[in-house]
Amino acid sequence: MKEGRIHSIETCGTVDGPGLRYVIFTQGCLLRCQFCHNPDTWNMGAGKKMSVQELVKDIKGYLPFFQSTNGGVTVSGGEPLLQVEFLLELFTELKKLGVHITIDTSAGCFNRSPHFIKNLDKVLELTDLVLLDLKHINAAAHKELTGLSNEHILDMARYLDEKKVPVWVRHVLVPGGSDNDAHLQQLSNFIATLNNVEKIEVLPYHKLGVYKWENLGLDYPLEGVEPPTEERVKNAEDILNRVKVI
């Protein structure tokens, strides 16, 4: 069986999809978000190698807990789609157990190459929900905030719509970064073009991962930036949720 690079596991997650979740944080990410609270997931070669068999065996022990809450397994990261072939094997085994499967992705590695799309399509057929992180609607601002432009990320949003995959859109609200009414309205307009969005979540920027930057010897780029106020979070929620969600 295939092995994946795993950063960590949370056995009773409550914020990464419906119900209680067994959350697998994979290793490796192409984005370098200024607000990242898990910079220790960036390095693809780090983490622990785990086989599909090991993970499924552990997940089986938690089945009664998360299935009683209509929960399931969420694969997050890092960026799980960097290990799409591993996901395919893992999801195939989990579906045999009737597990609800969610992918939490920032779509940083999405591309339309035949090889990637072939594997992605197989994975999506086994996926019940995608948590899609849309960091910023403006390409230049997105590159400043994350290190990459957003064209391919928005392309994945459209692709998931084409495939009719249920999506929860997530948007991290960063004061001075993504907390801008004009850009929030543009993001709202973009989301309105999609017909597969079930929910829109605003995630307030926080500083809980700053110590990880320090431990890795990295300069934290948002030094001095405070979390958004409740009023600004509510403002963003109001703007983004003006669109019709299914």
Side-chain angles (χ1 to χ4, degrees):
M1 283 192 166
K2 287 190 178 296
E3 289 185 324
R5 285 277 183 180
I6 307 302
H7 170 267
S8 57
I9 291 170
E10 183 179 355
T11 55
C12 288
T14 58
V15 296
D16 296 299
L20 285 175
R21 315 292 300 181
Y22 183 104
V23 186
I24 303 167
F25 295 93
T26 59
Q27 192 71 33
C29 188
L30 300 181
L31 272 64
R32 294 293 181 265
C33 297
Q34 293 181 350
F35 52 84
C36 182
H37 58 274
N38 284 321
D40 47 344
T41 65
W42 290 351
N43 183 357
M44 186 70 195
K48 177 184 178 182
K49 282 187 176 181
M50 293 188 71
S51 69
V52 168
Q53 189 174 24
E54 285 179 276
L55 282 167
V56 171
K57 181 180 179 181
D58 193 47
I59 288 167
K60 283 180 177 178
Y62 295 93
L63 279 174
F65 299 102
F66 59 69
Q67 290 190 331
S68 66
T69 67
N70 294 318
V73 172
T74 296
V75 183
S76 184
E79 175 49 64
L81 294 181
L82 284 171
Q83 304 184 58
V84 66
E85 293 182 21
F86 171 72
L87 295 189
L88 177 57
E89 192 166 310
L90 175 63
F91 290 4
T92 298
E93 295 304 310
L94 292 180
K95 274 304 166 189
K96 294 175 183 178
L97 302 173
V99 173
H100 180 281
I101 295 172
T102 295
I103 299 174
D104 181 7
T105 177
S106 58
C109 64
F110 178 76
N111 63 84
R112 299 246 181 183
S113 70
H115 179 72
F116 181 81
I117 288 294
K118 178 182 177 181
N119 285 312
L120 178 64
D121 284 350
K122 292 177 181 178
V123 164
L124 292 178
E125 287 175 7
L126 300 166
T127 302
D128 299 289
L129 175 67
V130 171
L131 308 180
L132 181 62
D133 303 320
L134 298 181
K135 315 289 189 181
H136 208 298
I137 191 63
N138 179 274
H142 189 282
K143 187 168 185 176
E144 182 178 349
L145 197 62
T146 72
L148 290 179
S149 186
N150 65 355
E151 283 93 345
H152 61 298
I153 292 168
L154 300 181
D155 191 29
M156 180 163 177
R158 298 184 190 99
Y159 190 76
L160 292 171
D161 185 34
E162 292 170 19
K163 293 292 182 177
K164 297 180 171 58
V165 178
V167 162
W168 291 5
V169 169
R170 295 176 135 188
H171 181 67
V172 178
L173 193 68
V174 183
S178 58
D179 186 7
N180 174 291
D181 284 5
H183 288 147
L184 287 168
Q185 187 59 60
Q186 291 171 23
L187 178 58
S188 178
N189 293 341
F190 172 75
I191 296 171
T193 67
L194 309 173
N195 297 305
N196 60 333
V197 177
E198 294 184 340
K199 188 175 182 180
I200 302 168
E201 296 182 316
V202 174
L203 308 179
Y205 159 76
H206 61 73
K207 300 190 288 184
L208 298 178
V210 174
Y211 76 95
K212 293 185 178 181
W213 289 72
E214 296 170 350
N215 290 345
L216 292 169
L218 300 172
D219 291 330
Y220 187 62
L222 298 183
E223 189 69 41
V225 176
E226 295 298 318
T229 63
E230 290 183 14
E231 290 77 13
R232 292 305 298 172
V233 174
K234 178 68 163 55
N235 175 72
E237 290 173 342
D238 288 345
I239 293 174
L240 294 182
N241 282 287
R242 285 176 188 167
V243 304
K244 180 183 178 183
V245 295
I246 60 174

